[in-house]
Amino acid sequence: MLEINGQAFMRAVQEMNRVRVIMDQEENASFTALAINEEIRPRILADVAGMVVAIEQLHARAALISAGRLQVNLQTNTAFTWGALSAAMADIDSRLNDELGLVKLFVMDPQQTVYLQPGHLLVGDMVAARFPSIVFEVEEAARCLALGRATASAFHSMRALEIAVRALASFLGIPDPLRPVEKNWGIVLSKIKAEMDAKYPATARMPGKEGAEVEALYVSLDAMKNPWRNATMHTENTYQPHEANHILQCLNVFMLKIAAVCDEAGNPV
């Protein structure tokens, strides 16, 4: 995806206009054949240099080649004329106009730009450090949401939750499943519940105890399994932006809770 900086576009236009203003000031009947004098050349060079930077930021490659050629001529060719400058500017203008005609511009709601942050900022330092594989999935989920792909966002959120499910299973000493069928959420959660019941009797699940934290994690995962995880895997179901956003927010809250219990490998923290 190409991100076009609106300010860069405006700078490119402004720098091109600055050069044109200088040309207009110097124009006279015979100016096209005259070499650009050394007094005015630094001013033009400065404006052309700014134009090159702005065009480069737009990734307008053909216009950039022409602008770069103009810059070199101004730096090295003392006989470079006003007419040559005028022709070069017309060429740059034409190329930039053609290239921008091939680019589709989409305007994003400013409130959505928060979802374009790097993944480690979206999940926070603790979760990023203890669940590094989550970072990519959350970043993708957020970007899909920002770009209006709500169902794709929910899909990535569910992929992130799968990492959390495996971590909780490892924390309880449950071996990684070998056969694909054993990786089913329902089967893994059944094993988690069985191991949780065996390891943490009712007395070990009082508030503030580890058993209570594990039970809360299991209950959250079990609650998300049918309406979200299973539904996301079927083409009959789609999500609206507010639904995908809700799933992403719930994921972030859940990750804060599980990261306080174990890391991605299931090691206690």
Side-chain angles (χ1 to χ4, degrees):
M1 180 180 66
L2 172 65
E3 179 179 341
I4 292 182
N5 188 317
Q7 289 182 325
F9 173 75
M10 288 303 300
R11 280 197 297 272
V13 173
Q14 289 167 353
E15 296 297 347
M16 293 175 72
N17 285 337
R18 286 192 181 96
V19 176
R20 291 194 184 93
V21 167
I22 297 173
M23 292 166 56
D24 291 342
Q25 291 173 346
E26 298 294 327
E27 186 172 6
N28 56 55
S30 59
F31 98 108
T32 57
L34 295 176
I36 300 172
N37 63 61
E38 295 304 313
E39 181 181 346
I40 199 69
R41 187 182 294 265
R43 180 181 167 190
I44 297 175
L45 261 173
D47 289 334
V48 169
M51 180 177 65
V52 167
V53 172
I55 292 175
E56 187 174 23
Q57 291 175 337
L58 291 174
H59 299 273
R61 292 178 292 180
L64 181 62
I65 292 172
S66 184
R69 183 163 51 241
L70 171 59
Q71 188 176 34
V72 171
N73 278 324
L74 287 168
Q75 291 170 336
T76 61
N77 185 1
T78 57
F80 198 69
T81 67
W82 287 102
L85 175 61
S86 177
M89 289 301 299
D91 182 57
I92 294 169
D93 186 69
S94 176
R95 292 186 183 208
L96 185 59
N97 184 63
D98 288 341
E99 288 191 275
L100 291 179
L102 299 174
V103 176
K104 289 185 177 181
L105 299 179
F106 298 90
V107 178
M108 182 175 293
D109 186 326
Q111 294 182 343
Q112 298 296 93
T113 57
V114 66
Y115 293 118
L116 298 181
Q117 296 181 88
H120 70 277
L121 295 180
L122 291 167
V123 301
D125 292 339
M126 181 179 72
V127 173
R130 295 177 182 176
F131 285 82
S133 297
I134 289 284
V135 174
F136 170 80
E137 299 298 343
V138 171
E139 184 174 288
E140 289 297 297
R143 290 190 175 187
C144 287
L145 189 57
L147 297 173
R149 309 267 59 91
T151 301
S153 173
F155 174 75
H156 282 288
S157 292
M158 291 302 102
R159 281 170 56 99
L161 276 175
E162 286 190 10
I163 297 171
V165 169
R166 291 199 300 269
L168 183 58
S170 296
F171 175 76
L172 293 172
I174 301 170
D176 286 338
L178 299 177
R179 296 184 300 166
V181 68
E182 295 176 337
K183 296 181 180 180
N184 178 275
W185 260 39
I187 293 175
V188 176
L189 286 177
S190 295
K191 292 181 179 180
I192 288 175
K193 185 176 188 312
E195 190 63 31
M196 178 183 68
D197 290 341
K199 188 173 182 179
Y200 303 106
T203 55
R205 300 187 195 180
M206 300 299 291
K209 293 190 175 183
E210 182 180 273
E213 294 178 331
V214 172
E215 183 178 39
L217 293 174
Y218 164 76
V219 169
S220 295
L221 288 172
D222 189 55
M224 289 184 279
K225 176 174 69 70
N226 288 329
W228 291 349
R229 198 278 176 183
N230 290 351
T232 304
M233 296 300 108
H234 299 287
T235 57
E236 293 84 358
N237 295 282
T238 58
Y239 291 88
Q240 295 301 311
H242 69 279
E243 295 172 317
N245 180 61
H246 178 63
I247 292 173
L248 182 58
Q249 298 305 320
C250 289
L251 166 65
N252 282 334
V253 171
F254 178 82
M255 291 311 305
L256 285 172
K257 292 181 178 180
I258 193 171
V261 174
C262 66
D263 65 12
E264 189 173 316
N267 301 313
V269 296

